């Protein structure tokens, strides 16, 4: 065998080995969390409120989805209508500028977003640690995903469909609401699910915007909210076994929800 | 709808489309506004010293050059800056060859179906929440590192600078870099996979027809042809690593005021320090801690943006997380 073929073969073997190794690590991470989570989780954790050292996770589970929901309520309308303007009315230069700013928004470290949420929403607007402050901070992070994916789906509406609508005498707004948005519906839903899966896993934005609450928040502002990722972070740093179990149970719930959301989003036809 | 309302609708969506611009401008103005007292007070010392102490918040504040600051406070981010750069660069060093090899292998040797499966499995790494990486790092990675891998590395690789010396709890530069490398792997692999699969097929097949092995096509043609894209993908990965907070916070060992002696030493990064210190900053009645942390945040966001924007300008703007435009969405 010539040296060249030997090199080709060894590259192939090394490459396969690396792929297998990376897959093993993926299984190790997910499997390790699932394994510990299954061992730690108790039915009582799902029906009781808790404080990361005792009790359950109900407040954190509900709080997480309340925060994610607030984020979605903030980001989906903004993202969808911004995408409508970009695709329908925008000119190239303007769209590029918006895209660069959207990219800047995606690149901002989560803790800096959290600091901004603290300075602007918690202090300046006086929301306090609250659902609104935490949710909007999450929403700011979700916005680029919603905007970008909606924009892609809107621009994938076939020319013929648009032209058919216009030739039938549809106005711009009819075209948008009756043709474009229904056509891009699945893209918008995919982006929403994706944004939910990302939002549910965030911690750093929420540390100084949502706070922590041993029960459920009572109002949108000035009432702190519990969330699952905080239980993971705080729980694993506590000395007691039960705190660790709460952390693992939270990680398990989180990873199952995030993966199922991604799984669902892959099965939506675009 | 009458014409007038059409115009109103257009104007309404126009205002909304400005949201990203407004948010970015707001973010920078708030960070800058809150940084000004710290920029004035700390000056260049902020970047040249590594001693960070919030000060005695229970003692009355002292007057330094007309500015009230907590007694004994000192704000130097050199250690955090160094930690951010070293962990991110090491992570890039680890993820760089892995992502290149994986994307070459799946494009050169593996059929389309399996390639899609492998790439979407690697993109799953991007879906795992950062705090879960941290949890995994504490529970699994740190014990393995401090009990098995680090002693071996110290023994046999000790001749390399900073590889010898004492082993700590496992939390440190090495653990942070390893976790970060896993976190930046998906975005790098997915960008590289995209550019390699878009690489001109006639050139690839021509080379194979001329008798080149697939390895040679990869190394001599694809890698050479895609130098710029590879650089861009690395910058995107670096941008993600620089700003990563929770995972690093949990496996870095949170070092304060002590420079690391080797790659097993505890470290702290700007993002992790910001998350840790913000809590105690609220106790400071003079506000200087909050101002200094805002400046820290400003520096962090600027560094991250430089890397990300360079990467995005090269591989194309509009890339979100590990998900490239198109098939994998």
């Amino acid at each position: 065998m010539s040296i060249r073929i030997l090199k080709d073969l060894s590259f192939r073997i090394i490459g396969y080995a690396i792929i297998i190794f990376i897959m093993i690590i993926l299984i190790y991470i997910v499997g390790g969390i699932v394994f510990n989570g299954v061992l730690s989780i108790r039915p009582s954790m799902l029906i009781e409120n808790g404080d990361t050292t005792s009790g359950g996770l109900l407040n954190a589970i509900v709080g997480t989805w309340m925060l994610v929901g607030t984020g979605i309520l903030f980001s989906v309308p903004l993202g969808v209508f911004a995408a409508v303007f970009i695709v329908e009315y925008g000119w190239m230069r303007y769209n590029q500028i918006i895209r660069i700013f959207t990219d800047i928004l995606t690149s901002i470290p989560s803790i800096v977003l959290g600091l901004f949420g603290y300075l602007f929403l918690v202090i300046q607007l006086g929301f306090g640690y609250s659902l609104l402050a935490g949710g909007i901070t999450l929403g700011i992070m979700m916005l680029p995903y919603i905007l970008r994916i909606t924009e892609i789906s809107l621009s994938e509406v076939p020319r013929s469909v648009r032209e058919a609508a216009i030739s039938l005498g549809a106005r711009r707004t009819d075209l948008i609401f009756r043709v474009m948005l229904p056509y891009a519906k699945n893209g918008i839903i995919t982006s929403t699910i994706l944004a939910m899966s990302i939002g549910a896993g965030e911690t750093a934005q929420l540390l100084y915007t949502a706070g922590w609450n041993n029960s459920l928040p009572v109002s949108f502002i000035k009432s702190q909210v519990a969330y699952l990722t905080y239980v993971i972070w705080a729980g694993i740093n506590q000395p007691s076994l039960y705190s660790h179990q709460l952390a693992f149970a939270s990680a398990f719930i989180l990873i199952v929800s995030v993966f199922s959301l991604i799984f669902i989003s892959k099965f939506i036809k675009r | 709808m009458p014409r007038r309302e059409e115009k109103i609708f257009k104007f309404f969506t126009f205002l909304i489309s400005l949201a990203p611009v407004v948010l970015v401008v707001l973010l920078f103005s708030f960070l800058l506004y809150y940084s000004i007292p710290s920029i004035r007070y700390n000056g260049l010392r902020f970047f040249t010293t590594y001693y960070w102490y919030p000060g005695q918040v229970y003692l009355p504040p002292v007057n330094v050059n007309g500015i009230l600051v907590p007694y004994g406070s000192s704000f130097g981010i050199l250690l955090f800056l160094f930690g951010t750069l070293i962990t991110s660069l090491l992570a890039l060093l680890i993820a760089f060859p892995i992502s290149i090899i994986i994307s070459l292998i799946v494009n050169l040797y593996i059929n389309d179906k399996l390639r899609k499966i492998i790439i979407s499995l690697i993109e799953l790494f991007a879906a795992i929440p950062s705090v879960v990486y941290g949890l995994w790092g504490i529970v699994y990675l740190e014990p393995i590192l401090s009990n098995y891998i680090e002693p071996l590395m110290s023994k046999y690789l000790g001749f390399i600078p900073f590889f010898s010396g004492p082993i700590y709890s496992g939390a440190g530069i090495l653990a942070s870099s390893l976790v970060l490398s896993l976190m930046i792997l998906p975005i790098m692999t997915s960008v590289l996979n995209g550019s390699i699969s878009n690489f001109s097929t006639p050139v690839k097949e021509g080379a194979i027809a001329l008798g080149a092995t697939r390895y040679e096509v990869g190394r001599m043609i694809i890698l050479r042809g895609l130098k710029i894209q590879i650089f861009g993908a690395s910058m995107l990965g670096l941008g993600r690593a620089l700003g990563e907070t929770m995972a690093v916070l949990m496996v870095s060992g949170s070092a304060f005021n002590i420079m690391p002696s080797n790659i097993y030493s505890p470290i702290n990064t700007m993002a992790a320090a910001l998350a840790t210190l913000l809590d105690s900053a609220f106790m400071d009645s003079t506000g200087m801690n909050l101002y200094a942390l805002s400046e820290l945040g400003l520096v962090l966001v600027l560094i991250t943006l430089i890397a990300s924007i360079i990467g995005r300008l090269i591989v194309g703007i509009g890339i979100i997380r590990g998900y490239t435009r198109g098939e994998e969405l």
Side-chain angles (χ1 to χ4, degrees):
Chain A
M1 221 190 303
S2 80
I3 294 236
R4 292 175 51 224
I5 295 180
L6 207 64
K7 265 189 184 168
D8 184 64
L9 191 70
S10 44
F11 176 67
R12 198 169 175 171
I13 291 170
I14 292 171
Y16 285 151
I18 286 179
I19 291 178
I20 291 168
F21 180 67
I22 293 293
M23 291 305 144
I24 290 174
I25 291 182
L26 181 66
I27 295 168
Y28 191 23
I29 297 176
V30 178
I33 298 299
V34 169
F35 174 73
N36 275 302
V38 170
L39 287 185
S40 310
I41 200 162
R42 312 222 183 323
S44 67
M45 285 180 184
L46 300 176
I47 48 169
E48 281 172 30
N49 288 341
D51 61 359
T52 78
T53 51
S54 61
L57 296 167
L58 184 67
N59 53 339
I61 297 171
V62 178
T64 296
W65 296 112
M66 287 169 96
L67 286 164
V68 169
T70 314
I72 292 290
L73 284 181
F74 174 82
S75 59
V76 169
L78 286 185
V80 169
F81 283 114
V84 163
F85 184 85
I86 286 171
V87 173
E88 231 6 73
Y89 306 106
W91 54 102
M92 216 177 86
R93 197 106 209 111
Y94 179 80
N95 291 356
Q96 260 171 359
I97 291 171
I98 298 295
R99 202 163 297 156
I100 287 172
F101 274 90
T102 318
D103 278 349
I104 293 178
L105 216 49
T106 358
S107 316
I108 290 171
S110 51
I111 184 66
V112 175
L113 222 46
L115 177 63
F116 167 66
Y118 174 77
L119 297 176
F120 179 52
L121 301 165
V122 175
I123 303 286
Q124 191 70 34
L125 297 184
F127 290 167
Y129 286 177
S130 63
L131 196 54
L132 215 51
I136 292 177
T137 312
L138 281 186
I140 296 174
M141 184 216 58
M142 294 168 173
L143 178 64
Y145 298 89
I146 309 268
L147 203 166
R148 191 79 190 106
I149 299 174
T150 309
E151 188 195 325
I152 292 171
S153 341
L154 282 176
S155 59
E156 277 167 1
V157 175
R159 250 189 111 77
S160 56
V161 173
R162 290 179 47 111
E163 280 167 1
I166 293 171
S167 67
L168 286 172
R171 289 197 182 84
R172 219 48 183 291
T173 40
D174 288 333
L175 177 69
I176 290 165
F177 283 103
R178 303 234 178 120
V179 179
M180 304 283 282
L181 286 179
Y183 204 95
K185 189 183 69 193
N186 285 347
I188 298 172
I189 295 173
T190 314
S191 68
T192 309
I193 294 175
L194 211 60
M196 286 169 73
S197 77
I198 297 164
E202 284 298 343
T203 324
Q205 282 109 327
L206 299 174
L207 285 174
Y208 301 104
T209 52
W212 172 264
N213 196 331
N214 286 343
S215 53
L216 290 174
V218 290
S219 78
F220 272 101
I221 58 166
K222 292 184 174 156
S223 174
Q224 305 198 16
V225 198
Y227 48 98
L228 281 172
T229 46
Y230 183 82
V231 183
I232 303 177
W233 182 57
I236 200 65
N237 289 321
Q238 302 277 350
S240 82
L241 178 66
Y242 190 70
S243 303
H244 288 194
Q245 288 176 334
L246 282 173
F248 283 123
S250 310
F252 174 62
I253 296 171
L254 199 62
I255 218 160
V256 168
S257 353
V258 167
F259 278 17
S260 8
L261 283 173
I262 287 179
F263 194 69
I264 294 168
S265 78
K266 293 231 172 203
F267 277 82
I268 292 175
K269 278 216 180 71
R270 291 177 63 221
Chain B
M1 251 189 270
R3 256 198 116 70
R4 213 178 112 77
E5 285 178 29
E6 296 267 332
K7 278 205 168 137
I8 292 174
F9 178 76
K10 183 179 173 183
F11 185 65
F12 166 74
T13 53
F14 168 71
L15 284 185
I16 285 184
S17 73
L18 285 173
V21 183
V22 172
L23 287 170
V24 168
V25 170
L26 262 180
L27 186 135
F28 276 96
S29 8
F30 264 87
L31 287 184
L32 193 63
Y33 178 74
Y34 274 86
S35 308
I36 288 170
S38 161
I39 296 172
R40 275 209 193 123
Y41 172 66
N42 292 307
L44 270 182
R45 251 183 317 159
F46 198 68
F47 300 97
T48 53
T49 58
Y50 70 88
Y51 191 62
W52 185 291
Y53 184 60
Q56 280 288 355
V57 289
Y58 300 110
L59 289 177
V62 287
N63 192 325
V64 182
N65 302 330
I67 302 170
L68 277 182
V69 293
Y71 179 81
S73 60
S74 166
F75 308 103
I77 62 164
L78 194 58
L79 172 66
F80 310 143
L81 194 61
F82 173 74
T84 297
L85 294 178
I86 194 78
T87 50
S88 305
L89 289 175
L90 277 176
L92 188 59
L93 208 64
I94 301 167
F96 181 77
I98 296 180
S99 60
I100 289 183
I101 291 176
I102 291 180
S103 39
L104 278 179
I105 290 278
V106 294
N107 278 289
L108 290 175
Y109 299 101
I110 289 177
N111 62 33
D112 261 15
K113 208 173 172 189
L114 196 58
R115 186 188 70 164
K116 272 189 185 153
I117 294 174
I118 292 176
I119 293 295
S120 24
L121 280 176
I122 287 177
E123 284 181 348
L124 268 192
F125 276 108
I128 299 175
S130 155
V131 69
V132 172
Y133 276 107
L135 181 68
W136 178 77
I138 290 178
V139 178
Y140 290 103
L141 187 63
E142 283 178 14
I144 294 177
L145 282 181
S146 67
N147 292 333
Y148 305 104
I149 296 177
E150 287 181 353
L152 283 178
M153 283 176 71
S154 177
K155 199 170 163 194
Y156 295 107
L157 297 174
F159 59 91
I160 305 171
F162 306 111
F163 274 63
S164 63
I167 311 291
Y168 303 86
S169 67
I173 297 180
L174 188 62
S176 313
S177 310
L178 286 173
V179 168
L180 280 177
S181 68
L182 290 177
M183 301 181 80
I184 64 174
L185 191 65
I187 191 162
M188 292 179 64
T189 313
S190 130
V191 169
L192 285 177
N193 174 50
S195 15
I196 291 178
S197 58
N198 286 337
F199 196 82
S200 154
T201 320
V203 174
K204 274 192 282 190
E205 286 175 353
I208 290 175
L210 286 172
T213 61
R214 281 163 196 273
Y215 167 69
E216 284 163 350
V217 172
R219 200 183 60 122
M220 297 177 177
I221 298 175
I222 297 181
L223 288 192
R224 282 201 191 153
L226 293 178
K227 260 185 199 155
I228 296 176
Q229 278 87 341
I230 291 171
F231 177 71
S234 313
M235 284 294 119
L236 276 185
L238 190 63
R240 192 151 291 285
L242 291 168
E244 184 44 54
T245 314
M246 291 315 289
V248 178
L249 174 63
M250 291 164 86
V251 299
S252 67
S254 292
F256 279 102
N257 306 331
I258 177 163
M259 274 295 188
S261 60
N262 56 24
I263 66 160
Y264 321 114
S265 311
I267 188 75
N268 216 331
T269 66
M270 298 171 77
L274 187 52
T276 327
L277 291 166
L278 203 50
D279 214 4
S280 56
F282 305 147
M283 306 253 301
D284 174 7
S285 59
T286 66
M288 188 50 79
N289 271 288
L290 186 59
Y291 304 145
L293 286 174
S294 302
E295 191 182 350
L296 178 67
L298 191 62
V299 176
L300 172 63
V301 81
L302 289 177
I303 295 178
T304 316
L305 277 187
I306 291 171
S308 304
I309 294 297
I310 292 177
R312 276 163 200 281
L313 287 179
I314 292 172
V315 299
I317 47 179
I319 284 169
I320 29 185
R321 208 158 213 187
Y323 310 93
T324 34
R325 173 185 184 140
E327 60 180 58
E328 306 299 343
L329 264 173

